[in-house]
Amino acid sequence: MTAILATKAARRRGIVFTILLVVTLLMMAFSSNPAVREFQNAVGFAFRPIQGALDGAAGSVASVAAAIVEIDRLRVDNTALRAENERLTTEAARLEEVRRENDSLTALLQLRAGFDFKTAAATVIARESSEFRRLVVLDKGSDDGIAVGDVAVAAGGALAGRVVEVGPDSAKVVLLTDAESTVIGQLTTNAATGEVVGQLGGVLIMRQIDSSDVVAVGDEVVTAGIELGIGVRSPYPKGLLVGQVVDVRRDANSVVQTAYLRPAAPLDRLEYLLVITDYQGGLPPIEQQPVDCGNGGTLPQGEQPCLVPSVAPAASPKP
């Protein structure tokens, strides 16, 4: 049986091979015939539009595929560029902050170089801003020579406030805008003086200015540094910038006038302060306070000065 099947398969292969050979010979014979060639050209011409359309479709498919690949590449590149842009923006902001801090510190160091006082530079590490108080906390304290009563100054020589509490490594400074702050101010234009007090709204009030003194918007006010007599010095050194006049209120029936000042220092945004550590304001130490040597008294032991009361000249008798 197997032999019969093998013989049949061999005969089929032989028949197929013979047919293919005959067809090939016929095609070779007819291909050289001019009529056949014309027919082939006609068929090719008839199918040329279809072939062109198929080629165009294939090209379009290839273009779409290439466009999809390009879009995906651009998306990846855009994501990378966005991340780089965010990094550069963050770096620029950091550098700007570093530059600003450097400018602030440079201004503070220049101020220190121009001072005749000994100072300690400190950083503001906390703020208290309530309806009752305006103060800041510094990162320096008694270990750096800071004491209660020391004066705090911002860049540009602007008065910021006074130290009211000190620890070994921290200090609290009451700002000028605190309601309990009081400074004797002096106009730079005509040396008129007045009492500068704080208020929580952020504007300083300079009151008790003599009504005969000219006060104009834009005038600058500095610390007067007035000696109060009997050995009492001003709590603030003379010449520290307090603020600038932004408004003036006059009363025709009053002997005084009031000015409103914008603080010279940005008290709500303080970052660094100089604390003057060797200015002795207010009452001198007890051993240096003057004493009354009148009524037959003698100079006390030591070198305390005597308090000499001022005596008004006697009135001349009427003729």
Side-chain angles (χ1 to χ4, degrees):
M1 187 69 179
T2 303
I4 294 172
L5 291 175
T7 304
K8 288 181 178 181
R11 283 201 299 270
R12 288 194 188 98
R13 286 196 295 271
I15 293 170
V16 171
F17 177 76
T18 303
I19 292 172
L20 290 175
L21 180 61
V22 171
V23 170
T24 301
L25 292 173
L26 290 173
M27 290 179 66
M28 291 176 63
F30 283 103
S31 63
S32 59
N33 191 314
V36 173
R37 284 202 297 272
E38 288 294 331
F39 177 75
Q40 290 175 343
N41 292 335
V43 172
F45 180 79
F47 283 94
R48 188 171 301 161
I50 299 175
Q51 184 180 6
L54 292 175
D55 291 341
S60 298
V61 171
S63 298
V64 170
I68 293 174
V69 172
E70 182 67 15
I71 289 172
D72 187 65
R73 186 185 66 80
L74 290 175
R75 181 184 59 80
V76 173
D77 291 346
N78 187 53
T79 302
L81 289 174
R82 187 181 297 112
E84 180 66 12
N85 184 60
E86 291 175 355
R87 186 190 70 79
L88 291 175
T89 301
T90 302
E91 181 67 13
R94 187 186 69 82
L95 292 176
E96 177 62 21
E97 178 65 15
V98 170
R99 185 197 63 77
R100 189 186 59 76
E101 290 183 2
N102 183 64
D103 290 344
S104 299
L105 290 173
T106 300
L108 214 60
L109 291 175
Q110 290 175 346
L111 177 63
R112 168 185 274 183
F115 265 158
D116 293 330
F117 301 108
K118 183 179 179 181
T119 60
T123 302
V124 174
I125 57 175
R127 305 174 190 275
E128 181 178 333
S129 182
S130 66
E131 58 179 321
F132 302 108
R133 301 307 307 270
R134 289 288 190 275
L135 61 82
V136 294
V137 180
L138 307 181
D139 65 346
K140 299 286 181 65
S142 56
D143 290 347
D144 293 279
I146 297 175
V148 172
D150 286 347
V151 177
V153 184
L159 179 62
R162 291 187 75 200
V163 176
V164 294
E165 186 178 329
V166 177
D169 55 3
S170 66
K172 289 185 177 181
V173 175
V174 169
L175 302 176
L176 288 181
T177 46
D178 189 275
E180 297 181 1
S181 173
T182 303
V183 182
I184 302 301
Q186 185 178 62
L187 291 169
T188 58
T189 52
N190 54 15
T193 59
E195 189 180 58
V196 179
V197 294
Q199 59 175 358
L200 301 183
V203 176
L204 305 175
I205 301 175
M206 185 174 180
R207 60 195 183 188
Q208 303 297 324
I209 308 171
D210 195 296
S211 60
S212 62
D213 293 321
V214 177
V215 183
V217 173
D219 288 349
E220 290 187 338
V221 177
V222 297
T223 51
I226 295 175
E227 298 287 343
L228 304 181
I230 63 172
V232 180
R233 299 181 67 189
S234 168
Y236 300 93
K238 183 178 179 63
L240 297 178
L241 190 59
V242 176
Q244 189 176 52
V245 177
V246 294
D247 193 14
V248 182
R249 301 289 174 86
R250 300 179 179 88
D251 186 349
N253 299 320
S254 177
V255 296
V256 294
Q257 57 185 320
T258 301
Y260 295 86
L261 314 178
R262 180 175 63 247
L267 300 178
D268 293 333
R269 303 188 304 275
L270 292 172
E271 294 181 287
Y272 307 99
L273 288 174
L274 278 184
V275 180
I276 299 174
T277 58
D278 62 346
Y279 176 78
Q280 299 296 328
L283 284 171
I286 188 65
E287 68 275 3
Q288 297 179 11
Q289 292 182 19
V291 296
D292 189 359
C293 299
N295 300 322
T298 59
L299 187 66
Q301 186 176 7
E303 297 183 356
Q304 293 98 324
C306 287
L307 174 62
V308 181
S310 57
V311 180
S316 301
K318 294 182 179 180

